[in-house]
Amino acid sequence: GPGGTATTTPTTDTNNWGPRLGVAWAPVGRRYVVRAGYGLFYGRTPSIMVGTAHSNNGINVQTITFRGANGDPVPTYPNIFPGIPAGVTLPRPTIFTFDSEYENARVQQASGGFEWEWMPHTSFAVNYLFVKGGDLARSTDINIGSPSPFTYTLADASGTPTGTIAHYVFGPGPFTSFTRVISFESTAKSRYNGVTLELNRRFAQNYQSRLAYTLGKVEDTVPDATAVVPEGSDDRKFASNPANFDDDLAPGNNDQRHRFVASTVYSTNGLADRFEGIAQALLSDWTLSAIFTAQTGQPFSAYASTDVNRDNNRFNDLAPGTTRNEFRLPASISLDPRIARDIRFGDATPRLTLIWEAFNLLNRPNYNVVNNVLYNVVGTQLRENPLFGQTTGQTDPRIMQLAVKLSF
């Protein structure tokens, strides 16, 4: 490939040694246990990356639509063009390659926790999780030149200038025979820290419940092993600055700072045992359950409407003056209840279960898509988009369903 790159397979990674260690300590006569663990793990190279590098190597079929020289009609078969008509320019292909130092992803994971039996059937736990990812896969275009300073004019929505902002643009790339040379590299990284507080009651006396709160943070430099289709949605998965990946070191796309989950399951059989006859029959074999989830919104970035840094990718350009994932979606809340009734035919199966369940019973609008274009680009002018931050999509509204299950 160009510049000595490989368009066949990644280099062989033969030094993947993955130790694992776990310990637990429970003092005799005490009602608590302490746990800790560490492991080193390795990921696989997805087949879609290898297959893309194999097939998109510049030696492939290209479709060129043209008419004859000077606008002459296309000849009728079996007549053919003796050559490419004058004035027709062959498109430059985009190829995919493997970086010569490519390695399999490596993930270190460490955890520690304390669990205490607060009362019979009930425990309280504190658990910490640390995950560090290195050599994570990404796609990046190496057919770009050096960046140079560039100044854009800031303007309001009507085009009235309001100031200037410094940015940068890339010059022409070194491989003039290709449009883009997309390299599969193992240069991305990530880090996660999370603490979970949990109150858990095991199923006893006909009910169980769990309360859990997690405070977590994930930071990364835009790892992704699936960006294999240029000039489309996959281009959004590229780092915004291919010359300095640390510019994108920020909360990851899946970062969720706060998350609270409460769940419970209750069986009416204990209540039914207090009665006899018809009352007992009516009250028995009901199961009531629910899951309540509340969580902070995930982050999103502000973008410009076109390729402001001129790296041949118009989908990944952060709005000048902003950082990656600087903004947040609104919080999300959902209540999902379930009611089930078993109808028995004697003491053994078969058993019929009637089920009613709902998702997002409160019918709360939980937004997951917003208008993320901060600036509309007109020449060298960045015009404010008044619709920036406006919510444009949400998860499912209230859904209820009935079901019948036969167990035998």
Side-chain angles (χ1 to χ4, degrees), residues 211-255:
L211 303 176
Y213 165 74
T214 299
L215 171 64
K217 182 179 182 180
V218 58
E219 290 184 314
D220 61 41
T221 57
V222 202
D224 192 280
T226 63
V228 297
V229 181
E231 301 299 329
S233 60
D234 278 3
D235 277 356
R236 303 181 188 277
K237 304 172 184 178
F238 284 58
S240 67
N241 184 355
N244 184 4
F245 296 130
D246 283 341
D247 275 2
D248 284 293
L249 179 60
N253 295 340
N254 294 321
D255 180 61

Side-chain angles (χ1 to χ4, degrees), residues 272 275-284:
F275 299 87
E276 296 180 353
I278 295 178
Q280 184 183 52
L282 292 175
L283 291 173
S284 63

Side-chain angles (χ1 to χ4, degrees), residues 304-327:
S305 63
T306 192
D307 188 9
V308 291
N309 65 2
R310 302 178 187 174
D311 66 346
N312 295 319
N313 186 342
R314 62 189 178 89
F315 293 105
N316 69 333
D317 289 70
L318 297 179
T322 68
T323 58
R324 173 176 171 249
N325 284 338
E326 181 178 334
F327 304 91

Side-chain angles (χ1 to χ4, degrees), residues 144-279:
I144 57 171
S146 300
S148 57
F150 191 88
T151 300
Y152 279 97
T153 301
L154 295 176
D156 60 20
S158 66
T160 303
T162 59
T164 60
I165 190 168
H167 200 54
Y168 59 89
V169 295
F170 290 99
F175 309 119
T176 57
S177 297
F178 302 95
T179 300
R180 298 170 69 182
V181 179
I182 298 177
S183 175
F184 292 136
E185 300 182 357
S186 53
T187 54
K189 58 186 178 182
S190 68
R191 183 187 297 264
Y192 172 80
N193 286 277
V195 175
T196 299
L197 307 178
E198 181 179 352
L199 186 63
N200 188 45
R201 187 187 192 282
R202 300 190 307 273
F203 190 82
Q205 299 172 335
N206 296 294
Y207 79 96
Q208 70 178 39
S209 60
R210 179 179 182 268
L211 303 176
Y213 165 74
T214 299
L215 171 64
K217 182 179 182 180
V218 58
E219 290 184 314
D220 61 41
T221 57
V222 202
D224 192 280
T226 63
V228 297
V229 181
E231 301 299 329
S233 60
D234 278 3
D235 277 356
R236 303 181 188 277
K237 304 172 184 178
F238 284 58
S240 67
N241 184 355
N244 184 4
F245 296 130
D246 283 341
D247 275 2
D248 284 293
L249 179 60
N253 295 340
N254 294 321
D255 180 61
Q256 206 151 52
R257 201 58 47 85
H258 305 280
R259 178 177 170 86
F260 173 78
V261 179
S263 61
T264 186
V265 177
Y266 173 69
S267 171
T268 62
N269 287 337
L271 176 63
D273 289 342
R274 302 177 187 178
F275 299 87
E276 296 180 353
I278 295 178

